[in-house]
Amino acid sequence: MTLIKSISGIRGTIGGPVGENLTPIDIVKFTAAYVRFLSESVPGRQLTVVIGRDARISGRMVEDIIEGTLLGCGANVINVGLCTTPGTELAVTRHRADGGIIITASHNPRQWNAMKLLNHSLIHNSAPTTHLSIS
């Protein structure tokens, strides 16, 4: 299948070749790029990032990888767990977080998942998917 990078985030089928599907390695690379991107807006300050997910079968695995990567990059993590997209967005605002990652592939088939990347203003961030090197 295909790994799709767009303004709304990164989505693809779980597993398969790195860079072609949404694999654990791709999830780590995009999460680390997202942290670098957010860090540029608040230099010298520890980031706070909210994560939430839908009920897809792969959601827990993706959530664990994202949370571990965020923590490894030095960010504070507020994990709201199983939560709707609007609920996760509200948590970003409520906690005055620097950003949020919503784990959901919306209308795509169940073998898909995605990372929707938000900044503190709830604007989808395409920079980690289009402007930063994740090699």
Side-chain angles (χ1 to χ4, degrees):
M1 291 290 187
T2 303
L3 183 64
I4 300 169
K5 302 172 227 172
S6 71
I7 187 114
S8 61
I10 306 101
R11 65 186 182 280
T13 54
I14 296 296
V18 173
E20 294 180 24
N21 295 326
L22 191 58
T23 69
I25 292 170
D26 294 305
I27 295 165
V28 168
K29 287 180 177 181
F30 282 113
T31 303
Y34 173 70
V35 169
R36 284 194 308 269
F37 173 76
L38 286 181
S39 294
E40 291 173 3
S41 65
V42 290
R45 189 167 62 76
Q46 187 175 28
L47 295 174
T48 297
V49 179
V50 171
I51 57 175
R53 66 177 173 84
D54 68 11
R56 288 177 183 271
I57 199 162
S58 61
R60 191 53 148 299
M61 177 200 70
V62 175
E63 175 186 61
D64 289 345
I65 294 167
I66 290 171
E67 184 169 10
T69 304
L70 289 169
L71 291 169
C73 290
N76 290 316
V77 176
I78 299 171
N79 187 340
V80 295
L82 190 61
C83 192
T84 63
T85 294
T88 304
E89 291 170 339
L90 285 170
V92 171
T93 303
R94 164 68 176 89
H95 293 286
R96 295 188 173 117
D98 299 296
I101 300 177
I102 305 166
I103 305 160
T104 178
S106 302
H107 62 279
N108 290 298
R110 68 180 180 195
Q111 67 271 26
W112 286 69
N113 217 325
M115 300 167 57
K116 294 183 178 183
L117 310 173
L118 303 171
N119 67 14
H120 70 281
S121 300
L122 305 182
I123 296 171
H124 292 276
N125 281 304
S126 63
T129 65
T130 58
H131 299 126
L132 295 178
S133 171
I134 60 162
S135 302

